[in-house]
Amino acid sequence: MCGIFFSLSASQPVLPNEETCCLLRKRGPDSFQVHQVQRNANTNQTRTVRTFLTFVSTVLSIRGDHIVIQPLVDTVTQSVFCWNGDAWKVAGEPIRGNDTQLIFNLLLQAVRPPYDSEPSNAIDDAGSVQRIIDVISSISGPFSFVFYDAVNAKLYFSRDCLGRRSLLQGLDETGALKICSLCDGTSSTHFEEVATTGVHMVDLTQTVFQDSPTSDISTTHFNPSSLQTLPWEDIDSPGHLKTPIPPMNRSIPQDIPPQLSVESPCVNDLEQRLRTSLTLRVHNVREPPSFTTESNAKVAVLFSGGLDCTILARLSHELLPSDESIDLLNVAFENPRVAAAMSKEAKTGLVYENCPDRITGRAAFAELQTVCPDRNWRFVAIDIPYVETVAHRDTVKRLMRPHNTEMDLSIACALYFASRGQGQALDSQQGSTEPKPYTTPARILLSGLGADELFAGYGRHGIAYLRSGFEGLIDEIDLDVSRLGKRNLGRDNRVIAHWGREARFPYLDENFVSWAVQAPVWEKCGFGLPDPNPEESSAGIDPEKRALRLVALKLGMSNVAREKKRAIQFGSRTAKMEKGRVKGTDALS
């Protein structure tokens, strides 16, 4: 995980303000570095102005055997690279060490003229763009980046097609273009999420600045029309990136689909593909700085006790060394509206233990201990008093910007405190029933995000099926998958990364998502399927995410397989903390 800041200005170098620098360092505590470039740019036929490019990178180093300090600068071409990503594969080949230098080398090869005999000042314009596109298309994994091709005077920036890493863009009052992992603190800059529609390019040999006609002072503003987008496509065509995600399978069953069971081939396929995705995300993780023999968790799970996260915990048990603890981070909040309804006696010690996610979390923790007794599971109960929520609320709002609704705040608060990983820990193998103060050393946090969208886990999926059958259900799933980056992932990345940790999403691996969207809808959920016989092991399992529920059942998690879906803001009780008629879609004041 890394923090990126970039600015392009015609007046002077533009650096992030002190607050933004501090937040970027929080994202990447292992390294902080600034690099600046000055070049000439033609703004019209008659005059030339200086153009200032400023690059700032912070680094959270998790892969490889050493810290790769960014921005990377090529000493030959002076090209610059800021990378916030995890490239699991390139052109289908797994990457085991650090990916940053490898991707930079591939981009440098792409921008150089193809023949050594060409003059050093030759510009291979169209060829270099296509080769850049080919490199980006070959990357499998979450990423955002800024790359300055000094050979051909082009700037590229993008997020992956699912939007799993944050990147924002905006113009400030001086007319400078800013690109950053989070909103810069200046209130005059309006930031928006960088669209996940493709790779965005600025050709610095063309007109990229224009004089401001409305300003009282002479300013030169970045011209938004200079920004080109090279789009993701699901077909191979020149000038377009090859998207790894195919179109949704829209086939409709001609008859009643066959009943799903733990023996169904699609359930076995689902388990194996999820295991493959998870393996990439939990193997080859470097020991974190606070790693000790007593606190030896490299991987933690954002753990509500629900279906999606508990499956990840259960499969991680089979993939990680047996002597390595797995931390289960379970957050619960003091909600004044709920607490007010309790008696004084009931409030003592129960304001957190009565939270729905705490109840399901402890139940799933107990089931994991039963099914996997030789693993040290560490249940970390993260209790957040209301006064602490209020104390951190402005920081959470700052991090989640430009998102600005009550629902955004409720979800972001839960993720913010859960990813801090600080609470009362209970180890499954120490025989003690007394929890102790604890902060997880793990820098990798596993999240179940994506399972509901892919496997029809929300209540609205059932409503869509009742209203419009399989066609309506498929439309709803397709909509959910298409807007993940815009609605969830950028916001979640900004909030979780604040604690120097990296969320990884096994359900959102490109290969896994590709398989899931191509699978027939009746092989993912149980809508339209006959109910199992009462004597069958799968009896009582809900239609939402039925295939995943059967995986849990196959893995010995009978109770988890039957756990109801619950939104994080209601399970942790961050929703509707104050009195009043507030809707989740209401904008924050």
Side-chain angles (χ1 to χ4, degrees):
M1 181 67 64
C2 302
I4 295 172
F5 174 89
F6 167 80
S7 66
L8 178 64
S9 172
S11 56
Q12 62 183 357
V14 176
L15 287 161
N17 68 10
E18 184 177 350
E19 179 197 25
T20 302
C21 285
C22 179
L23 294 176
L24 290 172
R25 286 180 184 272
K26 285 276 194 177
R27 291 178 61 93
D30 297 332
S31 170
F32 178 95
Q33 186 161 283
V34 179
H35 180 74
Q36 294 181 332
V37 174
Q38 179 181 319
R39 68 177 303 276
N40 292 330
N42 294 323
T43 58
N44 54 42
Q45 298 276 331
T46 60
R47 71 184 177 100
T48 299
V49 299
R50 293 175 298 173
T51 305
F52 301 91
L53 294 83
T54 301
F55 304 83
V56 180
S57 282
T58 63
V59 175
L60 175 73
S61 185
I62 294 174
R63 300 172 66 180
D65 57 3
H66 66 285
I67 297 172
V68 176
I69 296 174
Q70 297 189 49
L72 292 180
V73 181
D74 180 48
T75 56
V76 176
T77 66
Q78 298 305 304
S79 296
V80 186
F81 188 44
C82 300
W83 170 256
N84 174 22
D86 279 312
W88 305 117
K89 299 178 183 178
V90 172
E93 292 297 319
I95 300 174
R96 302 209 173 273
N98 189 280
D99 55 338
T100 308
Q101 188 67 58
L102 173 62
I103 301 298
F104 188 38
N105 290 342
L106 292 173
L107 292 172
L108 292 176
Q109 293 172 22
V111 303
R112 291 179 182 128
Y115 303 108
D116 293 338
S117 59
E118 291 189 20
S120 60
N121 62 349
I123 294 183
D124 176 33
D125 195 42
S128 69
V129 172
Q130 184 60 53
R131 292 192 296 273
I132 290 287
I133 288 173
D134 292 341
V135 171
I136 303 304
S137 296
S138 71
I139 299 172
S140 174
F143 62 78
S144 62
F145 73 88
V146 174
F147 173 61
Y148 170 51
D149 169 11
V151 176
N152 301 291
K154 287 182 171 59
L155 179 80
Y156 299 86
F157 62 96
S158 185
R159 302 161 70 197
D160 67 81
C161 65
L162 290 171
R164 290 163 288 184
R165 294 292 168 86
S166 172
L167 199 64
L168 308 173
Q169 66 183 61
L171 298 180
D172 69 8
E173 76 281 0
T174 71
L177 171 67
K178 290 182 176 180
I179 301 169
C180 192
S181 297
L182 41 84
C183 288
D184 193 18
T186 54
S187 59
S188 57
T189 304
H190 173 70
F191 276 97
E192 60 184 5
E193 303 261 13
V194 169
T196 58
T197 50
V199 170
H200 311 283
M201 181 182 73
V202 179
D203 188 344
L204 299 177
T205 66
Q206 305 299 318
T207 302
V208 296
F209 291 98
Q210 59 186 0
D211 292 333
S212 175
T214 59
S215 177
D216 294 334
I217 58 175
S218 177
T219 58
T220 305
H221 283 246
F222 176 79
N223 185 356
S225 65
S226 302
L227 190 60
Q228 306 173 49
T229 299
L230 311 170
W232 296 96
E233 299 286 355
D234 55 15
I235 57 174
D236 287 308
S237 57
H240 294 68
L241 292 94
K242 175 65 176 175
T243 176
I245 312 300
M248 186 73 63
N249 183 339
R250 294 188 167 273
S251 59
I252 305 297
Q254 299 303 309
D255 201 351
I256 298 177
Q259 180 62 267
L260 288 176
S261 71
V262 292
E263 290 83 20
S264 297
C266 60
V267 173
N268 180 67
D269 201 9
L270 167 56
E271 179 192 350
Q272 296 307 316
R273 290 177 181 274
L274 184 56
R275 194 185 300 268
T276 299
S277 170
L278 186 59
T279 299
L280 289 171
R281 288 157 174 81
V282 300
H283 282 181
N284 303 309
V285 176
R286 188 192 307 167
E287 290 184 0
S290 53
F291 189 86
T292 65
T293 54
E294 292 185 359
S295 183
N296 67 340
K298 295 180 183 178
V299 174
V301 183
L302 295 172
F303 191 74
S304 66
L307 174 71
D308 312 327
C309 61
T310 308
I311 287 178
L312 296 181
R314 171 67 180 82
L315 290 176
S316 295
H317 163 70
E318 300 181 10
L319 299 173
L320 292 172
S322 59
D323 60 348
E324 194 172 298
S325 299
I326 298 177
D327 287 352
L328 309 174
L329 309 180
N330 181 273
V331 66
F333 286 76
E334 178 190 10
N335 186 311
R337 294 175 68 253
V338 176
M342 294 182 178
S343 66
K344 185 175 181 180
E345 293 76 15
K347 289 180 187 178
T348 305
L350 292 181
V351 68
Y352 305 112
E353 291 304 308
N354 278 349
C355 277
D357 279 1
R358 178 59 51 80
I359 294 170
T360 56
R362 291 204 183 276
F365 172 51
E367 194 163 27
L368 284 168
Q369 289 177 271
T370 300
V371 176
C372 311
D374 53 337
R375 169 72 59 184
N376 183 42
W377 302 99
R378 184 179 291 114
F379 187 86
V380 186
I382 302 168
D383 298 339
I384 308 300
Y386 178 64
V387 291
E388 190 170 6
T389 301
V390 173
H392 287 257
R393 187 172 285 170
D394 285 345
T395 300
V396 177
K397 289 181 180 179
R398 169 73 176 80
L399 290 169
M400 74 183 199
R401 285 169 46 193
H403 291 255
N404 190 46
T405 69
E406 292 287 347
M407 182 182 294
D408 286 317
L409 180 59
S410 296
I411 295 172
C413 272
L415 293 173
Y416 174 87
F417 285 105
S419 58
R420 184 173 66 171
Q422 179 181 318
Q424 297 288 319
L426 190 64
D427 289 27
S428 63
Q429 291 192 336
Q430 289 191 352
S432 173
T433 59
E434 289 297 321
K436 58 183 180 181
Y438 177 80
T439 300
T440 182
R443 286 182 158 188
I444 299 299
L445 307 182
L446 298 177
S447 166
L449 185 66
D452 287 309
E453 289 78 4
L454 289 168
F455 294 89
Y458 293 117
R460 64 174 179 272
H461 291 123
I463 294 172
Y465 176 77
L466 291 174
R467 286 177 176 172
S468 306
F470 282 110
E471 292 92 341
L473 176 59
I474 292 169
D475 285 342
E476 194 71 19
I477 294 173
D478 197 14
L479 176 63
D480 280 341
V481 174
S482 68
R483 63 187 181 185
L484 265 170
K486 186 175 182 62
R487 295 188 73 189
N488 303 79
L489 290 163
R491 174 200 66 205
D492 296 354
N493 176 261
R494 291 188 290 278
V495 170
I496 293 171
H498 180 70
W499 301 109
R501 308 190 199 277
E502 176 181 301
R504 291 183 175 176
F505 307 99
Y507 294 102
L508 294 180
D509 177 85
E510 288 92 339
N511 289 338
F512 185 83
V513 173
S514 297
W515 171 81
V517 300
Q518 288 181 301
V521 68
W522 61 89
E523 291 187 354
K524 295 184 285 189
C525 54
F527 298 109
L529 300 183
D531 291 330
N533 293 325
E535 62 273 11
E536 291 185 10
S537 62
S538 58
I541 289 183
D542 288 342
E544 293 87 356
K545 299 186 289 191
R546 181 168 287 179
L548 272 174
R549 295 180 182 279
L550 292 171
V551 169
L553 190 64
K554 184 179 177 184
L555 293 169
M557 311 290 293
S558 177
N559 294 331
V560 168
R562 292 169 172 83
E563 190 58 59
K564 301 291 184 183
K565 164 66 184 174
R566 189 185 301 109
I568 185 174
Q569 65 270 34
F570 299 113
S572 63
R573 287 187 173 157
T574 56
K576 300 182 178 179
M577 284 196 166
E578 285 81 24
K579 293 181 180 180
R581 300 176 66 87
V582 176
K583 296 180 180 179
T585 54
D586 289 348
L588 298 169
S589 58

